[in-house]
Amino acid sequence: MPHDVLVAGETLIDFVPERAGSLEEVPGFERRPGGAPANVAVAIARLEDPPLFWTRVGDDPFGRYLERTLVDHGLPDQFLERDPAAKTTLAFVTHDETGEREFTFYRDGTADTRLEPGRVDDATLSDCEWVHAGGVTLSSGSAREATLDLLERAAAADCTVSFDPNLRSELWPDEGAFASVVGDALAYVDVCLATGTELAALGFDGDSPTAIARAAVERGPVHTAVVTRGAAGAVAVASADAPWPAATVEHPGFAVETVDTTGAGDAFVAGAVAALRDGDDLEAAVTVANAVGARATTAAGGMTALPTRAEVAALLEAE
Ligand code: ADP
């Protein structure tokens, strides 16, 4: 089976709390497979042919559980690495009564920080049309160099490179470090999908989400910037350098019965990648992405309520 897309980055266990409250107060947590790139890869596999997924888990029960989950979702095991000398990353999630989430990571020297440059070979990249990565593996360890190396070689191989900065402030010494390292990565990126807060942290200023997106494409080489806005949908700007027509689009999102927004942004990314690869223009792609993102909020967990193409089509028809 051809794998036209490669997704790279962390997979980890999210421990989600049984109720609102601080880590000190909440007694119970449920184990869920997570990690933004893993969510993206699984969401793409639901929409179209499964992508390749490059990740690294520990040789421990959590790592084996994640590996099995990813394979059960159709991802090939070719680039699922098991690290005999490190544990799998854990993240404890807490939220307040409004649903505002915080993360506490157990990620010191864990397997996904130990991805090494070169594991995905140039021959694989030259067969890929699209490569997607995120900011978490840029935060520490050899994974930083591994991610930068992958993005650089993907750009050199003429892949379309998409990127989600995924700012988790707990993983960075300060915002300056995030802006500097992610700024280096953006030198290889064509399509940046982010929240307005993330783009502001990267130094893209503007008095509206559209102005922020415009600032991102003006700096280049990013030619397409998409700003997600939670329940309010998303805006996007593509410059004349994009392979799809230059455009500025806004979509108000889809009203759904939201249960849990974990992974909504990752599902959105998957929808955008699948649609743009399919030849959709930016407006159509943002509409599909919003539909996939909205659908993902209708059940608990980042890999649970992911729609197929047919389900997306039905949601669009009902619009
Ligand atoms: P992240 O999950 O990265 O924080 P957002 O909260 O902006 O990003 O959500 C990403 C996308 O998911 C939004 O652009 C929208 O398409 C969809 N989405 C998120 N929350 C909701 C919601 N409550 N209702 C409908 N769609 C949502």
Side-chain angles (χ1 to χ4, degrees):
M1 197 191 294
H3 297 287
D4 298 331
V5 183
L6 176 111
V7 179
E10 74 284 2
T11 185
L12 49 80
I13 303 282
D14 277 326
F15 280 101
V16 298
E18 62 186 14
R19 64 169 170 83
S22 71
L23 205 50
E24 214 175 312
E25 292 160 356
V26 175
F29 294 82
E30 191 178 312
R31 172 196 70 168
R32 297 247 179 81
N39 291 339
V40 171
V42 165
I44 291 176
R46 191 90 175 123
L47 289 166
E48 56 177 34
D49 287 340
L52 291 168
F53 181 47
W54 180 33
T55 196
R56 191 166 174 125
V57 295
D59 190 9
D60 55 19
F62 288 134
R64 287 192 287 278
Y65 162 69
L66 288 170
E67 221 175 70
R68 197 176 67 235
T69 302
L70 297 172
V71 169
D72 284 352
H73 279 97
L75 301 182
D77 62 5
Q78 187 179 352
F79 293 111
L80 304 185
E81 297 179 29
R82 224 187 254 184
D83 191 327
K87 290 195 158 61
T88 300
T89 297
L90 310 179
F92 284 84
V93 185
T94 51
H95 61 82
D96 60 19
E97 300 296 343
T98 69
E100 196 57 44
R101 287 176 302 154
E102 272 188 30
F103 296 83
T104 301
F105 286 95
Y106 287 74
R107 193 170 178 264
D108 288 339
T110 48
D112 66 297
T113 70
R114 288 156 52 93
L115 285 168
E116 283 166 10
R119 175 72 171 81
V120 176
D121 51 286
D122 286 335
T124 299
L125 288 176
S126 64
D127 281 348
C128 284
E129 188 189 327
W130 196 295
V131 170
H132 176 80
V136 166
T137 49
L138 288 172
S139 64
S140 55
S142 58
R144 174 181 296 174
E145 198 194 330
T147 306
L148 288 169
D149 169 70
L150 177 80
L151 296 177
E152 182 176 9
R153 288 187 298 116
D158 271 341
C159 303
T160 298
V161 176
S162 60
F163 182 81
D164 177 350
N166 235 304
L167 173 57
R168 296 280 176 260
S169 46
E170 303 81 354
L171 296 178
W172 294 89
D174 52 54
E175 220 169 73
F178 168 77
S180 154
V181 177
V182 173
D184 288 347
L186 288 181
Y188 310 115
V189 172
D190 300 300
V191 181
C192 181
L193 308 107
T195 64
T197 310
E198 287 164 343
L199 290 177
L202 292 169
F204 299 116
D205 294 323
D207 54 12
S208 68
T210 302
I212 293 173
R214 196 164 291 128
V217 302
E218 272 167 10
R219 190 188 295 177
V222 170
H223 57 58
T224 302
V226 186
V227 181
T228 62
R229 306 179 62 209
V235 305
V237 173
S239 74
D241 295 335
W244 33 85
T248 299
V249 306
E250 286 182 30
H251 188 284
F254 290 87
V256 290
E257 296 275 328
T258 293
V259 174
D260 174 18
T261 59
T262 306
D266 308 324
F268 181 99
V269 167
V273 171
L276 289 170
R277 260 172 34 80
D278 222 23
D280 281 3
D281 65 18
L282 192 61
E283 181 161 20
V286 169
T287 305
V288 168
N290 270 312
V292 179
R295 220 358 244 281
T297 70
T298 59
M303 295 184 188
T304 323
L306 297 168
T308 60
R309 268 305 166 106
E311 288 164 346
V312 173
L315 200 58
L316 297 186
E317 243 167 57
E319 195 186 17

